[in-house]
Amino acid sequence: METCPREHPEWFRELQARFFDMALEGPLNPRVAFEVPVRDASRTCALLERGDVPGKVVLVAGNSGPQAGRTS
């Protein structure tokens, strides 16, 4: 994938534009496993490396603790 933008720049720009359009319009619904304060990022990385997280981990500013299944 690293060489794709260089080898096929027009295709890559079109794909990227469609992706950002979808992101702005809302049809992308990533599975969020946890929202974790930035201060706990290193602990969260260990979970990700082991494969113990069934979705995305979102790092958030603030003092709230991990919240499972948050999608917004």
Side-chain angles (χ1 to χ4, degrees):
M1 184 71 178
E2 293 175 11
T3 61
C4 188
R6 286 190 300 254
E7 292 175 0
H8 308 283
E10 191 61 36
W11 172 84
F12 185 76
R13 277 192 292 274
E14 183 180 319
L15 181 66
Q16 190 176 39
R18 287 195 323 238
F19 173 78
F20 285 118
D21 287 344
M22 288 173 60
L24 291 172
E25 292 169 8
L28 296 180
N29 295 309
R31 182 175 181 188
V32 176
F34 296 103
E35 290 183 359
V36 181
V38 172
R39 70 172 184 273
D40 295 332
S42 62
R43 255 190 314 169
T44 304
C45 285
L47 291 173
L48 291 169
E49 288 172 358
R50 287 196 313 259
D52 293 344
V53 180
K56 305 294 181 196
V57 174
V58 178
L59 296 177
V60 295
N63 296 324
S64 62
Q67 299 177 20
R70 292 288 307 256
T71 57
S72 57

